[in-house]
Every structure is written in structure tokens, then in C-alpha cells.
Amino acid sequence: MYKPVMTTGILLCRRGRGLLPWAAVVLAALFLPRPAPAAEFELRPSITVREEYNDNFFLNEDDKVDEFITRVMPSIQFRYGAPLWTWDLKYTFDYVYYARDKRDDEILHHLTLNGLIEAVKDRVFVRVADDYGRVSLDVTRDFTRESTFRDQSNRNLLTINPYYVFRVSPLLNVTTGYTYINTWYDDEQAVDKDEHIVSIEPRYELSPYVSIIGGYRFSYVDSEVNDYKRHDVYIGPRYEYFDQSFVYARVGNSWTEYIGREKTSNIYWAAGITHAFPTFTGFVEAGVDYTEDPQGTVRRSTRYLAGVRYDRERINANVSLGLTSYNNAEISVATGDLRPSSDDTDKYGATGALKYALTPNLTGTLDLTIERLERDFLDTYTSRFLGGLRFEYLLLEETRLALSYYYTDSYSPRLPGDRYENNRVFVEISKRF
């Protein structure tokens, strides 16, 4: 299988898949009109230099290897807003230097692009989005928090969505349109795909506080592993009973027709409540969804989440408790049942973050994650603790100095690759112009 290669800022990709960050930046610049007096225009370059010491570079239980990593990251942030155009872009060129040559030096790209074109006022719109960067190949855990490369791949996600809004009545709007989604990975394990989606979504405003959203969506997915057609029907209300306090629910069914395989029918749903108390905001969410992971396996994700957020002038804090089950949702042709998989995982734990302004120029941030991953098919588990502490100091106007420390402790009785400890120390300086 041929995969794209990056050479001197040019991306060569199979079947035209993938969008090079350089190309996205150039195209965005070409299609943007020149700033007009009524337009909002902002262009902010910046640069960050970061030095990292990592005492377990390859995340091994034994034979630990340490490494010094230098990253030079010039970036540009762009915003353009006009009556019929809105563009937001951020691009970072990331040069990674490994001082002890434990890995070849790398050039990474990070790009987020969001654009909205109002072709006909209040009627016809075109939404364009692109997201390029490195992502974890394991949906049950985010390896980008622990390493620059382990179980990760560069991914580009391009979305083009023209749509039309029918103003049927003052209370009823119907949105219909077409969405093209291109997902591209540079890792051989991951699966590239094109999605073509046609949808219609009525939204009925029963009152200023109550709305009902329903819809139908037809999808055709052209994947390297599975080509299939999918029909989705869904409906659900949303009730805002107080300022920044609301409840919502949605239920739907998905019918999937795989080529040469059994058809599937799956119910999915989501529900939650968010309530703004006088001093904090609490939320509870639950739901079942069906999505493809980067390897192309269809997974049923069942989640339960509860937490609180606290936001004041000098302090921001959040704590959440959650349980998520990831199960193989593919049907066995032989039995007609869901196929068990070594990837079936139940994950539960707690996460929290605290940010406190110690002085007008000095801010401290504490991050903690405690979780347990139970792998049913392998009859084992992985327990993980991730903690981080960061201090950021405003040295000069638009110049910041930061010192960070992150610790990871991972243990599994039967999976040697999940047994390791890791200490990382960062020193960085950043300047916005």
C-alpha cells in the first residue's frame, strides 16, 4: 500500500487524499479578500523554543533511555472577519531535535483552519475546516500526552460543507446540505477514507427556551478497508431552563450496509444536564455512539461522565469522573453476533485541573489523571497515573517563560508494554509579535 511522503514541503498522496498544511495556508490566503474598512483583520506571528529532558524516552519497563529534546516552533495566527466571510487559521512549524540521536530529527506541522462563507445572506453557507497534526492511534488513551511518537500518526481531517437554510416559518428552520470529509493518515496501520454525506435537519423552536432537532443523514464511506452506506434518523429536544443551564436528549438509529457483509442496525443516544450554580457549574452526560477508530474498526462507545467547573478571576478548576466502554461493533458473518476483540476496553477514572494566578505575572497549573483500563478479552488491566505541574511567568510584554514537570506511572500485570515510569522536565520561552 502506498502512503504519502513529505519532501521539501510537498505532500504526495494516494488518490489525492490529505491536505498539506503549506497548501492550506496558501489556499486560504489566495481566497481571502483584501481587508476592507468594515472587516476585522488580525495577523499574529509568534515563536516558542522548548527544551525537554525525558528519562524514559521509549517508555520501557527496563533498559530506560534518556534524551534531551529541543523544539523550535514558529507559528502564525490569522483571523479575518467580514459580513460574508470568516476565517480563523493557526499554523505551527515544529522542528524536533534529539540531542543524543535516539531518534531521527523531525519536522512536524500543526494546522487548524476554520472558515465560513455566507454565499447568500441567511440562506446559503459553505463551511470549510482542516485539522492537521499528530494523533494517538489508540482511542482508549491519548499517547500525545506522554510521547512525541509512540502509537501516533500524522493525520489530516478536511471538511467541506455547503448547506442551505430554509426559513419555513419564524419557529421552523430546515437545514439541508452536503458534507465531504477526507481523513488521511501517514501511518500504515491507519485507514484513510472519504465520506460523502447528504443531510436534512429540521429545527423547531417551541419557545425561546425549548427546541426540537431531528434529521436524516445518508452517508457513503469509501474506505481502504470497508466501503459502506449508512442511513441515520435521529430526534431530540433541548430545554434551557435557566441562564447557562439546560437539559438535552437525542435518540437515533443507524442502518449500515456493508459490501459483501451483514447489514447492521444500531440504536444510539445521548442525554445530559448542565446546571450553573451560584459558584460553580455542574454537568452529567451519558450516551452510546458508533464510530470508526483509526484502524478502521467500528466501535460502540458507551460513556457516562459527571463533573464540575469553577471559574473565577484568579482561579479556574475542573474535576470529572467518567466511565467509557469501547467494544467492537462489527458483526460476524458466521454467527451474526458482535465479534469479541482484544481491543474491547472499559476505562474509568478521574481527571482534574487547577489553574491559579499566584501574582499578576505568575500562573501555576496542576493537572492530574487517574484511570484504569480493563481489557475484557485479554482478562487484564492497565492502571495509569499522569500528573503535571507548570509555572508560567510573564517576563516582558508578550514574552513568557515556563517551567513544567510531568510524571507518568503505568502498570499492567500481563502487558509488558504498559509497565513503565516516565519523568519529563520542560523549560520554554515564547514570544508573540
Side-chain angles (χ1 to χ4, degrees):
M1 181 187 302
Y2 177 71
K3 281 284 186 177
V5 295
M6 185 77 72
T7 58
T8 322
I10 299 176
L11 186 67
L12 306 176
C13 57
R14 186 184 65 80
R15 296 173 59 189
R17 291 182 173 177
L19 179 65
L20 174 68
W22 293 107
V25 174
V26 172
L27 287 173
L30 288 176
F31 284 100
L32 287 176
R34 295 185 178 181
E40 176 189 353
F41 180 82
E42 183 181 12
L43 184 65
R44 295 295 301 271
S46 63
I47 185 168
T48 298
V49 179
R50 178 184 301 156
E51 184 68 27
E52 172 189 349
Y53 172 72
N54 190 321
D55 76 342
N56 191 1
F57 184 62
F58 295 107
L59 302 180
N60 294 327
E61 180 182 14
D62 302 311
D63 301 323
K64 295 182 179 180
V65 174
D66 63 349
E67 179 63 284
F68 289 92
I69 306 168
T70 303
R71 302 178 74 166
V72 180
M73 295 174 284
S75 65
I76 186 169
Q77 190 165 358
F78 174 84
R79 174 172 174 78
Y80 179 85
L84 301 179
W85 298 73
T86 302
W87 293 94
D88 284 286
L89 179 147
K90 184 176 182 181
Y91 169 72
T92 301
F93 177 89
D94 188 357
Y95 174 70
V96 187
Y97 170 73
Y98 300 100
R100 296 185 174 178
D101 296 325
K102 303 304 180 183
R103 182 176 171 86
D104 292 338
D105 297 346
E106 296 181 280
I107 294 178
L108 306 178
H109 304 276
H110 311 277
L111 170 73
T112 56
L113 170 67
N114 290 284
L116 182 64
I117 303 168
E118 191 173 0
V120 178
K121 185 172 177 57
D122 296 330
R123 294 288 184 180
V124 181
F125 302 84
V126 180
R127 183 175 65 91
V128 180
D130 193 70
D131 184 3
Y132 185 98
R134 190 157 283 188
V135 298
S136 177
L137 292 174
D138 187 347
V139 296
T140 67
R141 54 202 285 190
D142 184 5
F143 275 106
T144 62
R145 297 181 58 189
E146 305 177 55
S147 169
T148 58
F149 60 90
R150 178 173 172 176
D151 289 339
Q152 298 170 46
S153 171
N154 290 324
R155 183 202 67 176
N156 191 81
L157 185 64
L158 171 66
T159 303
I160 301 174
N161 172 215
Y163 61 95
Y164 184 89
V165 179
F166 294 91
R167 311 291 182 182
V168 180
S169 73
L171 301 180
L172 177 62
N173 292 333
V174 179
T175 301
T176 182
Y178 162 78
T179 304
Y180 169 73
I181 303 174
N182 171 270
T183 306
W184 169 89
Y185 298 91
D186 71 353
D187 192 283
E188 293 286 351
Q189 303 177 59
V191 176
D192 299 343
K193 62 181 179 179
D194 291 316
E195 300 178 64
H196 304 270
I197 303 168
V198 178
S199 62
I200 180 169
E201 184 177 270
R203 179 187 181 96
Y204 187 69
E205 302 285 349
L206 293 174
S207 74
Y209 310 103
V210 181
S211 61
I212 297 178
I213 301 176
Y216 166 76
R217 182 170 57 238
F218 170 77
S219 307
Y220 173 73
V221 179
D222 178 11
S223 166
E224 292 183 329
V225 175
N226 297 315
D227 293 347
Y228 58 87
K229 300 175 183 178
R230 185 172 61 222
H231 303 266
D232 289 279
V233 177
Y234 56 91
I235 191 170
R238 185 183 188 276
Y239 171 44
E240 185 171 352
Y241 59 89
F242 191 67
D243 184 32
Q244 299 183 3
S245 299
F246 57 90
V247 294
Y248 72 92
R250 177 175 293 192
V251 63
N253 197 83
S254 178
W255 295 268
T256 306
E257 303 174 16
Y258 292 95
I259 297 178
R261 299 167 57 190
E262 294 288 329
K263 296 181 180 180
T264 65
S265 176
N266 297 307
I267 295 177
Y268 58 90
W269 58 272
I273 179 172
T274 296
H275 184 79
F277 293 91
T279 57
F280 66 91
T281 300
F283 64 92
V284 177
E285 300 175 356
V288 173
D289 201 1
Y290 292 82
T291 57
E292 283 190 23
D293 66 12
Q295 281 79 28
T297 301
V298 179
R299 289 176 176 268
R300 179 180 61 201
S301 173
T302 306
R303 67 189 184 280
Y304 304 93
L305 183 66
V308 296
R309 297 188 295 265
Y310 180 84
D311 190 359
R312 286 296 181 267
E313 183 178 356
R314 296 182 60 184
I315 185 170
N316 302 91
N318 65 80
V319 178
S320 62
L321 304 173
L323 166 64
T324 306
S325 295
Y326 302 90
N327 302 102
N328 191 333
E330 294 188 327
I331 300 296
S332 169
V333 176
T335 66
D337 299 324
L338 293 178
R339 296 185 298 182
S341 168
S342 60
D343 293 331
D344 287 354
T345 302
D346 294 329
K347 180 174 75 172
Y348 54 89
T351 62
L354 172 66
K355 184 176 182 180
Y356 183 71
L358 300 167
T359 72
N361 292 341
L362 178 63
T363 301
T365 304
L366 175 67
D367 293 287
L368 295 174
T369 299
I370 302 173
E371 62 185 18
R372 181 183 174 101
L373 293 84
E374 295 187 349
R375 306 183 186 278
D376 300 336
F377 192 70
L378 296 177
D379 191 26
T380 190
Y381 69 88
T382 299
S383 59
R384 289 159 43 83
F385 172 82
L386 296 86
L389 182 63
R390 176 184 173 90
F391 292 98
E392 189 173 288
Y393 182 72
L394 182 61
L395 189 64
L396 298 169
E397 185 178 0
E398 302 291 355
T399 302
R400 298 181 181 273
L401 181 66
L403 174 65
S404 309
Y405 169 71
Y406 293 93
Y407 171 72
T408 303
D409 183 6
S410 178
Y411 172 75
S412 175
R414 297 182 59 185
L415 300 174
D418 281 359
R419 291 197 295 264
Y420 57 85
E421 289 184 82
N422 182 224
N423 294 276
R424 305 168 75 191
V425 179
F426 300 85
V427 178
E428 72 178 56
I429 186 169
S430 60
K431 169 67 176 177
R432 292 188 67 184
F433 301 95

